[in-house]
Amino acid sequence: MTGYEKLFSEAWKNHKNILCIRLDNMGDVLMTQPAMRALKESAQGRKITLLTSSAGSGIAAYIPEVDDIIPFDVPWVKTSETGGKQQLQALADELASRRFDAAAIFTAYSQNPLPAAMLCYYAGIKPVLGYCRENPYELINQWVPDKEPFDYVIHEVERQLHLVGMAGGLTSDTRLSLEIPEESREKVSGRLAAIGIEPDEPWLVLHAGVSEEKRRYPAAEYITACRSLTRQGYKILLTGSGSERDYVDEIARPLSHAATNIAGELSLAELIALVAAAPVLISNNTGPVHIAAAVGTPVVVLYAMTNPQHTPWQVLNRVLYFEVLPELRTKNRLLQSFPGLATPRASPEAIEAAVNEFTGINNASKNYCTDSLV
């Protein structure tokens, strides 16, 4: 243990009321779960409150380590709506009123932690743990110098586990996991029966929607892959948000009776239950990929070459990479160079092969890990 770790660990021993800050998306919150578990398990009676986006708050409700949730869309993270100056001041006042013992700021290496640190500063939360490239002085007084991506790149789960490890946060269980309401399981079971999907026949879920266009695998390629799979007897359920329904329908229509578009028809709990029931999930690199990891469902992910550290965690998977169109590429310098060879490349044939491989594997092999940065 380094001098930093000894110093931080001693300071955190008596901190029981912890604010965890993860302000981006559903999948990012899920990948932070093992770190929050490590914090929770490392001190008896410790309470975890999660400050997160409205999107992140939905999945947080099914994460057992989270005791309380504060949803807020901050202006320094991309969302459809954000709180203004007065709402941000009200948030700082609320955080102050809750008298947190300490805060942990969780960020991807391409994000700046200082706005969240300033929020803690205004709220009077002084023990603050977080990564930062430059010395943040009083804003993050338990500073972990951020070496990514210049020295190395590690999986997002490992990144956050390393951060809380500096404060004595340890766990032997590094899986993702979600609590699935029984009511949602029953509704999904009824929905599958109504569609005519039998448990012993080949079927799968395709989640073609994604929040950023640059991470959207081409619809024509999905259609080609799905046509091949339906000729083999697969039935396909297509999911997505309500706003994505028309786009998803572009994929469903050419597949005729073998595909059913249920985009916008499921609650989040029902989506979790559906992914848990599915023999395999095909998806862009977005939140349902991490839901699949949390419920043990094999996943074929069409991975846009953006953040390299968000591959499926500890679940049977195949990552198939594709280039982001030049006009859609990020302006963030830290993400403009994708590390490694980024193979195998995405294609309809690769999707078909991965699905057939996974559906031929006994369910007992769930939670096996392949092709991911673990």
Side-chain angles (χ1 to χ4, degrees), residues 1 96 119 178 219 242 278 287 324 349:
M1 182 179 287
L119 183 62
L178 290 167
V324 176
E349 295 76 16

Side-chain angles (χ1 to χ4, degrees), residues 156-171:
E156 185 70 10
V157 172
E158 291 180 298
R159 173 180 169 86
Q160 309 311 341
L161 282 169
H162 174 71
L163 179 69
V164 298
M166 300 291 283
L170 300 172
T171 182

